[in-house]
Amino acid sequence: MLRIVFKNLDRSELARELVEERLEASFQRFPDLRSNQIQVTLEMENSPTQAGPDVFSVKLHISSGRYQGITLEKEGQNLYQALAEVNEHLLERLNRFGDKNRAKMRRNERKFASQQKE
């Protein structure tokens, strides 16, 4: 389940569709993500005390399911740039998460097999 939260931004159907479109590649590559609860927060930071460019951030948090606990937050000069960075790093993080689990399972299987031999 994908939930999109707007913080200091007007709700935009275009932004919502863009997030869904960008994350669809991750959903296709990792089908287990569809059953996880994912929250994407789109935020704009604008300092009221200093003049300067706005900073946009995209935060993705997976709160349940197989990939529980993964959190990514990236900033950019515009929303599209920040979303692209989150999407790119999400694939790396999911691959690394899967590798850690496979390595842990192999280690446990080897340990169990060595105990059986004794």
Side-chain angles (χ1 to χ4, degrees), residues 9-82:
L9 275 174
D10 294 333
R11 293 187 182 270
S12 166
E13 194 60 36
L14 178 64
R16 181 179 301 277
E17 289 174 6
L18 182 67
V19 168
E20 291 172 355
E21 179 184 313
R22 290 286 178 120
L23 294 180
E24 184 62 34
S26 299
F27 289 150
Q28 289 176 357
R29 191 163 178 186
F30 300 93
D32 293 340
L33 277 177
R34 293 195 188 276
S35 62
N36 294 350
Q37 288 187 355
I38 302 171
Q39 179 173 324
V40 178
T41 304
L42 308 175
E43 180 179 7
M44 180 183 73
E45 295 178 21
N46 186 354
S47 174
T49 59
Q50 291 181 322
D54 296 334
V55 176
F56 292 88
S57 67
V58 175
K59 181 177 181 180
L60 182 137
H61 178 70
I62 302 175
S63 59
S64 71
R66 179 177 179 190
Y67 300 103
Q68 179 178 357
I70 293 179
T71 302
L72 286 169
E73 184 171 8
K74 299 292 178 183
E75 295 180 346
Q77 294 176 349
N78 59 47
L79 191 60
Y80 307 109
Q81 182 182 22

Side-chain angles (χ1 to χ4, degrees), residues 55-112:
V55 176
F56 292 88
S57 67
V58 175
K59 181 177 181 180
L60 182 137
H61 178 70
I62 302 175
S63 59
S64 71
R66 179 177 179 190
Y67 300 103
Q68 179 178 357
I70 293 179
T71 302
L72 286 169
E73 184 171 8
K74 299 292 178 183
E75 295 180 346
Q77 294 176 349
N78 59 47
L79 191 60
Y80 307 109
Q81 182 182 22
L83 183 59
E85 286 186 36
V86 164
N87 191 34
E88 181 180 319
H89 287 91
L90 178 63
L91 292 175
E92 293 174 15
R93 182 73 60 93
L94 292 172
N95 278 328
R96 196 173 324 130
F97 190 86
D99 291 343
K100 286 180 182 178
N101 285 344
R102 281 190 293 277
K104 185 186 287 185
M105 285 175 42
R106 284 187 196 137
R107 187 172 50 247
N108 289 339
E109 288 172 0
R110 288 180 186 140
K111 186 177 179 181
F112 181 73

